């Protein structure tokens, strides 16, 4: 006998400790396949969100570009205008659905965590480590995403940076896991071990308790739990009658018509004072050495355009609003920038990552992109960015800078 006794100590390391009659490789495989579909949606929409931020422009990047593993970033289009509302709505909704799916999956394999003997060979140790990385990164991603979407963020690290690096670890772990598990998954289905009590299935209890639910019943309960989470959150981005059901979305409900839609950061929180936005306010418009100063009345005297465009926050909520203001292309023409490649916007806001943004060629030149002066037919409320804010189709809400002070075309 070596250092590790052959016989497991009493408790969870013994197979007979686990008595659920439904655990089996077939059940775990079935849960895993549902989970995999959800993970693919969450991963793809997550990396799309990173692209939508357009980290290559100006000072948009929150992750230093040389430490950013996404080597190329697809140019983000401006149509359909609800594109980011849809991709990010899917990301957050399916991310929330991951909570019940992950709990079912972890429950189905929990005996493996205590399996005796502990790993003794390098290969077995590596497998254990890979599983810990997989479960750890899954829980990390879901927990940070969940708290961010709930506007409750107790962690002392930057959400975007942590969630982004976590995503790479998680995605790599999932790929490794799926690739190494394919033979087990195929065997579980081929031998239909749901029905045949295969003796060598390590997930089957050797001493099962009385049957209270079938394996298909477990899948049904899991589906119902996932559906319940989806129906109480998807309304924050899908809108319509589902909006009233979005109980899990802190900013998803309430009045959405007219200017009383959710506020991401109030003027008070952003340290915007009445003096800053009073009569002395001027918009600075700049391009290649030329600069023009405009009062709000002068902006109102320019051609006014009205567009239906969404605000779609990374937190998952979105709202379609009717904006009125000056076209960005009209502002560009004022300073002789007929063909701008990008536009840098700075807010009156003294501090914070969201006080400035850079938007790309497609966004600046889109006829629907506005410096908005009104929303829902009334003057822009202070909390929504009075005297003027940016509103651009299909970009993440964070690029729709409020309380604009300067715009510079490049
Ligand atoms: N100056 C400034 N603009 C800003 C922000 C901010 O914090 N400061 N928040 C952004 C974010 S993250 C979002 S989602 C939208 C929300 O707009 P709303 O508060 O009018 O709904 O504003 C964007 N514009
Ligand atoms: Mo946001």
């Amino acid at each position: 006998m070596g250092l590790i006794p052959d016989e497991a100590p009493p408790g969870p390391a013994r197979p007979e400790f686990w008595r659920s009659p439904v655990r089996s490789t077939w059940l775990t495989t079935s849960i895993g396949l549902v989970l995999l579909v959800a993970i693919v949606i969450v991963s793809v929409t997550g990396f799309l969100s990173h692209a939508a931020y357009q980290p290559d422009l100006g000072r948009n990047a929150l992750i230093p570009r040389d430490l950013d593993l996404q080597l190329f970033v697809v140019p983000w289009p401006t149509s359909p205008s609800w594109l980011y509302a849809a991709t990010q709505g899917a990301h957050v909704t399916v991310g929330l659905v991951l909570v019940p799916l992950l709990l079912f999956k972890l429950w189905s394999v929990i005996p493996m965590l205590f399996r005796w003997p502990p790993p003794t060979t390098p290969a077995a140790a590596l497998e254990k480590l890979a599983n810990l990385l997989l479960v750890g990164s899954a829980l990390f991603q879901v927990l940070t995403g969940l708290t961010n979407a709930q506007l409750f963020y107790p962690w002392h690290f930057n959400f975007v940076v942590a969630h982004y690096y976590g995503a790479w670890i998680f995605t790599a772990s999932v790929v490794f896991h799926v690739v190494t598990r394919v033979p087990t998954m195929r065997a579980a289905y081929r031998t239909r071990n749901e029905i045949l009590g295969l003796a060598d299935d390590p997930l089957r209890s050797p001493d099962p308790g009385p049957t209270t639910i079938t394996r298909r019943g477990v899948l049904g309960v899991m589906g119902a739990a996932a559906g319940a989470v989806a129906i109480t959150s998807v309304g924050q981005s899908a809108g319509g009658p589902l909006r009233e059901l979005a109980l899990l979305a802190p900013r998803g409900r309430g009045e959405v018509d007219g200017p009383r839609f959710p506020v991401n950061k109030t003027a008070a929180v952003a340290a915007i004072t009445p003096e800053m936005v009073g009569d002395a306010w001027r918009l600075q418009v700049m391009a290649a050495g030329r600069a023009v100063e405009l009062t709000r009345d002068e902006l109102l005297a320019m051609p006014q355009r009205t567009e239906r465009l969404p605000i779609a926050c990374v937190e998952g909520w979105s709202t379609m609003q009717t904006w009125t203001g000056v076209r960005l292309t009209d502002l560009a023409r004022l300073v002789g920038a007929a063909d701008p490649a990008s536009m840098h916007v700075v807010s009156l806001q003294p501090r914070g990552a969201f006080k400035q943004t850079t938007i790309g060629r497609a966004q600046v030149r889109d006829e629907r992109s506005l410096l908005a002066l009104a929303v829902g037919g009334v003057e822009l409320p202070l909390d929504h960015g009075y005297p003027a804010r940016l509103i651009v189709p299909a970009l993440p809400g964070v690029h729709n800078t409020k309380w604009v002070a300067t715009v510079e075309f490049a």
Side-chain angles (χ1 to χ4, degrees):
M1 198 178 87
L3 278 176
I4 298 166
D6 289 335
E7 202 196 352
R14 295 203 172 159
E16 57 275 18
F17 177 87
W18 303 98
R19 301 201 54 209
S20 170
V22 287
R23 276 203 191 87
S24 78
T25 300
W26 181 90
L27 181 66
T28 293
T29 301
S30 302
I31 298 173
L33 288 175
V34 177
L35 188 57
L36 185 60
V37 172
I39 285 172
V40 168
I41 296 171
V42 166
S43 298
V44 169
T45 52
F47 287 115
L48 282 179
S49 179
H50 185 63
Y53 269 103
Q54 303 194 297
D56 287 332
L57 298 179
R59 275 172 271 160
N60 287 355
L62 295 170
I63 292 141
R65 256 338 240 142
D66 49 347
L67 296 176
D68 185 340
L69 300 166
Q70 211 157 337
L71 295 178
F72 65 94
V73 169
V74 289
W76 195 252
T78 59
S79 288
S81 68
W82 44 263
L83 180 63
Y84 187 75
T87 63
Q88 194 61 13
H91 183 72
V92 173
T93 303
V94 179
L96 289 170
V97 166
L98 281 186
V99 174
L101 298 185
L102 268 176
L103 291 177
F104 273 80
K105 181 73 158 63
L106 292 176
W107 170 85
S108 81
V109 293
I110 190 79
M112 295 307 230
L113 182 65
F114 302 94
R115 190 172 44 169
W116 199 266
T120 45
T121 65
L126 202 68
E127 198 206 335
K128 196 95 179 170
L129 200 71
N131 282 334
L132 288 177
L133 207 60
L134 175 69
V135 175
S137 61
L139 295 179
F140 182 82
Q141 289 304 90
V142 167
L143 210 64
T144 50
L146 196 71
T147 49
N148 183 264
Q150 290 298 319
L151 317 174
F152 162 74
Y153 198 73
W155 324 114
H156 293 282
F157 45 76
N158 179 289
F159 168 74
V160 174
V161 175
H163 203 66
Y164 182 68
Y165 285 125
W168 279 106
I169 297 171
F170 176 57
T171 306
S173 308
V174 169
V175 170
F176 179 80
H177 184 73
V178 171
V179 167
T180 54
R181 285 306 189 282
V182 163
T184 314
M185 293 162 75
R186 291 184 56 179
Y189 277 142
R190 205 172 35 233
T191 58
R192 290 171 66 224
N193 86 348
E194 177 203 15
I195 297 154
L196 315 164
L198 290 190
D200 59 351
D201 184 340
L203 286 174
R204 268 177 189 272
S205 172
D207 180 22
T211 302
T212 52
I213 188 171
T214 64
R215 296 203 166 92
R216 276 158 211 278
V218 174
L219 293 178
V221 174
M222 181 181 77
V229 171
I231 210 105
T232 48
S233 57
V234 72
Q236 68 169 324
S237 34
L242 284 171
R243 191 167 291 268
E244 277 314 302
L245 284 175
L247 303 163
L248 296 181
R251 284 194 177 128
R253 300 172 72 221
E255 200 172 337
V256 286
D257 293 323
R260 292 186 54 194
F261 55 93
V263 172
N264 176 274
K265 195 173 263 180
T266 62
V269 168
I272 302 294
T273 62
E275 298 78 62
M276 294 160 98
V277 300
D279 287 341
W281 178 82
R282 297 286 181 277
L283 177 75
Q284 313 278 339
V285 187
M286 295 176 285
R290 288 184 63 178
V292 171
E293 252 189 29
L294 296 169
T295 64
R296 199 167 193 276
D297 283 341
E298 286 168 331
L299 282 167
L300 283 167
M302 291 176 68
Q304 302 293 299
R305 314 284 177 174
T306 295
E307 301 288 349
R308 292 274 297 162
L309 291 173
I311 289 204
C313 186
V314 65
E315 293 151 8
W317 62 272
S318 54
T319 171
M320 188 67 96
Q321 296 294 327
T322 305
W323 307 90
T324 304
V326 178
R327 271 185 187 159
L328 297 187
T329 49
D330 286 346
L331 282 178
R333 229 163 302 165
L334 277 185
V335 285
D339 209 20
S342 67
M343 183 182 90
H344 185 66
V345 181
V346 181
S347 169
L348 296 165
Q349 190 183 330
R351 282 174 301 278
F354 301 163
K355 59 168 270 184
Q356 55 91 38
T357 189
T358 304
I359 62 170
R361 184 182 293 264
Q363 284 75 24
V364 184
R365 295 193 194 182
D366 195 294
E367 301 274 82
R368 296 164 295 171
S369 297
L370 302 178
L371 186 74
L373 306 168
V375 63
V378 303
E379 183 174 83
L380 206 56
L382 182 60
D383 282 341
H384 288 304
Y386 180 93
R389 82 173 297 168
L390 194 58
I391 182 79
V392 176
L395 281 193
V398 47
H399 290 309
N400 293 318
T401 307
K402 304 195 277 191
W403 315 291
V404 170
T406 66
V407 301
E408 183 171 8
F409 297 94

